[in-house]
């Protein structure tokens, strides 16, 4: 039996790494513009070559980010429509019940936490928060990128409203990532000191069984008997070096 389970494809790994890089670039170039009256913001803008360079870096990164989001959503819709993958990130009634059950567990009103499938309620809520937040940032970003063209179609008040929404949503996204996401993904007791699954695509069988027990049950049921090592293979694996162990 393989020690690791493949949870993310190569494309998903690349997609996450690209999105993470773009988010950092947008935060580094966007937050100083939002707080330009602060000394640290003025110093950051000068260190990056001036406000014009910062603005263009931010705009180009935003365009690439918009393209990445579009490719992600279109690809997901195509795969779900073709029934290649299940819509496992769509929230269901169970997710809301799981959130309540987890709160009861934290308050010691329940003996066991709820059992999760491929994605738990926290991961789903965070994902859709990212999707909605990205939509707001992309729409308001293009309004600010093309203010004259926007004013020909929409009332002029839309432009300052977009400026306010863009800055506040960007700050909110930054705070959510450095608190909620980093804690759940890397600093929580279950993941500390670092969760490598989104970078390697693999998660240990023991962790999947503990954190995604419903998915793990389906995986066990779908595994063929011949995939499991016999007694001789088990003794050979236990006596061999760690580097010789199979990795799924």
């Amino acid at each position: 039996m393989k020690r690791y389970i493949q949870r993310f494809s190569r494309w998903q790994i690349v997609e996450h790494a690209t999105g993470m890089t773009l988010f950092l670039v947008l935060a580094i170039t966007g937050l100083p513009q939002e707080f330009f009256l602060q000394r640290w913001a003025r110093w950051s803008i000068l260190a990056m070559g001036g406000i014009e360079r910062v603005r263009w870096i931010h705009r180009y990164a935003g365009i690439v980010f918009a393209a990445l989001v579009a490719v992600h959503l279109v690809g997901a819709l195509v795969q779900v429509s073709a029934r290649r993958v299940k819509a496992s990130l769509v929230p269901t009634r169970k997710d809301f019940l799981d959130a309540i059950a987890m709160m009861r567990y934290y308050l010691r009103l329940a003996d066991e936490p709820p059992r999760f499938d491929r994605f738990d309620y926290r991961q789903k809520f965070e994902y859709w928060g990212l999707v909605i937040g990205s939509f707001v940032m992309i729409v308001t970003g293009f309004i600010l990128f093309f203010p004259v063209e926007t004013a020909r179609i929409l009332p002029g008040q839309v432009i300052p409203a977009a400026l306010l929404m863009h800055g506040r949503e960007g700050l909110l996204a930054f705070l959510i990532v450095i608190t909620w996401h980093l804690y759940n993904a890397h600093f929580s007791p279950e993941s500390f000191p670092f969760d490598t699954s989104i970078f390697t695509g693999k998660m240990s069988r023991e962790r999947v069984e503990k954190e995604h027990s419903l998915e793990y049950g389906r995986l066990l049921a779908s595994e063929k008997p011949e995939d499991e090592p016999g007694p001789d293979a088990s003794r050979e694996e236990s006596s061999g070096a760690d580097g010789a162990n199979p990795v799924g």
Side-chain angles (χ1 to χ4, degrees), residues 14-233:
V14 171
E15 195 175 38
H16 175 268
T18 305
M20 180 181 65
T21 302
L22 290 171
F23 178 84
L24 290 174
V25 173
L26 290 168
I28 291 172
T29 57
L31 290 176
Q33 296 185 67
E34 175 68 13
F35 300 99
F36 64 93
L37 294 179
Q38 302 297 321
R39 181 179 300 178
W40 66 267
R42 295 196 298 270
W43 179 88
S44 299
I45 291 173
L46 291 176
M48 288 185 282
I51 187 62
E52 285 302 317
R53 175 176 293 182
V54 170
R55 284 175 176 171
W56 280 109
I57 293 174
H58 190 80
R59 290 166 181 168
Y60 286 135
I63 292 173
V64 177
F65 180 76
L68 178 67
V69 172
V71 169
H72 170 77
L73 293 178
V74 171
L77 288 174
V78 170
Q79 288 186 320
V80 171
S81 300
R83 296 185 178 180
R84 298 175 185 173
V85 297
K86 295 182 179 180
S88 54
L89 275 168
V90 175
T92 63
R93 181 173 178 270
K94 182 181 182 304
D95 295 307
F96 295 94
L97 296 177
D98 285 345
I100 296 173
M102 183 61 80
M103 185 62 66
R104 287 176 53 83
Y105 176 72
Y106 285 151
L107 295 175
R108 298 187 178 182
L109 299 176
D111 296 330
E112 295 181 355
R115 299 177 63 194
F116 300 124
D117 210 321
R118 180 170 178 80
F119 299 104
D120 61 41
Y121 69 94
R122 293 162 296 193
Q123 294 167 326
K124 291 183 181 183
F125 294 163
E126 183 178 352
Y127 172 81
W128 286 104
L130 173 64
V131 170
I132 295 172
S134 297
F135 178 79
V136 172
M137 294 298 292
I138 291 170
V139 171
T140 57
F142 275 110
I143 289 175
L144 297 174
F145 198 5
F146 302 102
V148 176
E149 291 77 2
T150 301
R152 291 173 181 169
I153 304 173
L154 301 173
Q157 293 86 343
V158 169
I159 298 172
L163 179 62
L164 182 63
M165 291 176 62
H166 195 79
R168 296 299 184 267
E169 177 62 30
L171 177 61
L172 178 62
F174 176 75
L175 293 175
I176 289 176
V177 167
I178 65 173
T179 54
W180 174 280
H181 179 72
L182 286 182
Y183 173 79
N184 285 313
H186 302 297
F187 299 140
S188 65
E190 296 82 6
S191 306
F192 189 82
F194 193 77
D195 181 5
T196 61
S197 61
I198 192 59
F199 300 100
T200 64
K202 300 178 176 67
M203 183 179 288
S204 68
R205 181 174 290 269
E206 293 78 10
R207 187 177 169 197
V208 174
E209 181 180 9
K210 179 180 178 182
E211 299 181 13
H212 307 278
S213 57
L214 297 180
E215 178 190 21
Y216 184 72
R218 288 199 307 273
L219 290 173
L220 283 182
S222 63
E223 285 181 343
K224 298 179 181 179
E226 56 266 24
D227 289 340
E228 299 182 4
D232 295 338

